[in-house]
Amino acid sequence: MPVHDGRDTVELIETQAAELTALREYLAAQNASLEQIAGEFESLEAAVKEERAAWQAETEKLAKQNSRLSSPWAVGLFGGYDPFRDEAVCGVGVVYSVIRF
């Protein structure tokens, strides 16, 4: 093998080694970026799960409150004035709601 061809071969090997080093560095940087994105995605998923659990708990709470408020039965306080006897009256009783406002 002539010396010139040997030098060209060594130069080609060194060039390819430099390119491979640059590619490895680029891939390492891309891998780090992907790991960071994956970590952020996992934290986002955890936050979404927490938010969904909070919404479900609030929905259940409101459903219970709605079912309780939709009952037509209630305890009522009554008050008034009797002009014939000239006295005020008050009372407590169980009422059935026909119309709500």
Side-chain angles (χ1 to χ4, degrees):
M1 171 183 273
V3 175
H4 182 65
D5 288 342
R7 286 183 185 152
D8 288 343
T9 304
V10 170
E11 184 180 339
L12 179 64
I13 291 171
E14 289 175 353
T15 304
Q16 288 179 346
E19 288 176 357
L20 286 174
T21 303
L23 287 173
R24 284 188 185 113
E25 290 173 359
Y26 177 75
L27 287 175
Q30 291 298 318
N31 192 23
S33 296
L34 287 175
E35 287 176 3
Q36 181 182 7
I37 291 171
E40 291 173 357
F41 188 71
E42 288 174 1
S43 65
L44 181 63
E45 283 181 332
V48 167
K49 285 181 184 178
E50 290 176 7
E51 184 180 14
R52 181 172 289 150
W55 275 100
Q56 286 177 344
E58 187 67 24
T59 302
E60 291 171 3
K61 177 182 166 186
L62 290 173
K64 287 180 184 178
Q65 186 178 11
N66 282 343
S67 67
R68 182 180 59 85
L69 292 175
S70 66
S71 173
W73 294 98
V75 175
L77 299 174
F78 303 97
Y81 177 73
D82 185 2
F84 298 110
R85 295 186 182 169
D86 196 29
E87 63 184 7
V89 293
C90 63
V92 176
V94 177
V95 295
Y96 183 81
S97 175
V98 177
I99 298 173
R100 290 186 178 206
F101 53 90

